Amino acid sequence: MDKDNYKKMVEKVDEFFAKLGEGFPREASRLRELVSRACDLGLRPQTGKNETNLHLKDASEVNFGCFMSTGRFRNFSSRLTGERFVDDLGRILGFRVSKEGSDHWWTVCEEGSKSIPLDDFLAFENEWLDLVADWIRENACNFEKDSGKSQGAPL
């Protein structure tokens, strides 16, 4: 990433944290620390929806989490991470996994919602990082050497 694009990315991430901090200052501070730790694993933050969402993705665009400025978390990524990852995430976080519709939309969730409170997620941030690190380690062999794209985890 060139210097200008990096600067724009940092500005957008900062804008997300400012929005999150308006209603959830404690969670914003904890999430900022988690993002730093996730970057050490090789993940990178990417904003979406007018900087109201922050995604943590690996180099092949596998999205390990969507953090929302509304103080919520979701993980629509099972098509790439595999069913085992989303099931393990639900077990770790103590939430059910919705497997309604396409496997792209499977996620941990509260009843009647497609997300969970961010503070509930952050209570298990170390376990989430371990789960992501394990997935990256186990799936490194699924990357195409030429394109750097993930072949995805098997269901």
Side-chain angles (χ1 to χ4, degrees):
M1 177 180 304
D2 68 36
K3 193 174 186 178
D4 287 338
N5 284 333
Y6 179 79
K7 183 179 177 184
K8 287 177 187 175
M9 184 267 304
V10 169
E11 288 171 358
K12 288 180 176 189
V13 169
D14 286 343
E15 190 173 330
F16 165 81
F17 278 112
K19 288 178 182 179
L20 178 63
E22 290 172 8
F24 304 92
R26 184 179 59 84
E27 289 85 349
S29 176
R30 289 186 60 199
L31 182 59
R32 190 177 284 275
E33 291 174 19
L34 176 62
V35 168
S36 177
R37 293 170 60 203
C39 287
D40 291 343
L41 289 178
L43 301 184
R44 58 180 170 62
Q46 179 181 336
T47 58
K49 286 195 174 182
N50 300 317
E51 289 70 53
T52 60
N53 293 337
L54 180 78
H55 306 274
L56 286 173
K57 297 182 176 185
D58 71 1
S60 64
E61 296 294 312
V62 174
N63 188 351
F64 290 96
C66 175
F67 303 89
M68 297 174 272
S69 62
T70 58
R72 309 284 296 179
F73 167 84
R74 65 178 173 218
N75 65 293
F76 295 138
S77 64
S78 58
R79 182 173 290 158
L80 298 174
T81 60
E83 186 172 13
R84 188 179 94 202
F85 180 88
V86 75
D87 287 342
D88 287 348
L89 183 60
R91 180 184 47 75
I92 287 168
L93 298 175
F95 284 91
R96 76 179 192 86
V97 174
S98 170
K99 295 184 180 177
E100 299 165 9
S102 164
D103 60 354
H104 176 72
W105 301 111
W106 294 355
T107 186
V108 294
C109 60
E110 286 185 304
E111 200 62 44
S113 174
K114 288 290 185 181
S115 62
I116 65 171
L118 184 53
D119 59 342
D120 287 341
F121 170 84
L122 290 169
F124 297 95
E125 65 187 83
N126 292 328
E127 291 84 351
W128 176 80
L129 278 171
D130 289 344
L131 183 63
V132 170
D134 289 346
W135 188 93
I136 290 170
R137 195 170 27 259
E138 291 171 9
N139 290 282
C141 63
N142 288 340
F143 286 82
E144 293 176 333
K145 293 181 190 207
D146 294 336
S147 71
K149 297 288 184 182
S150 171
Q151 296 302 298
L155 292 178

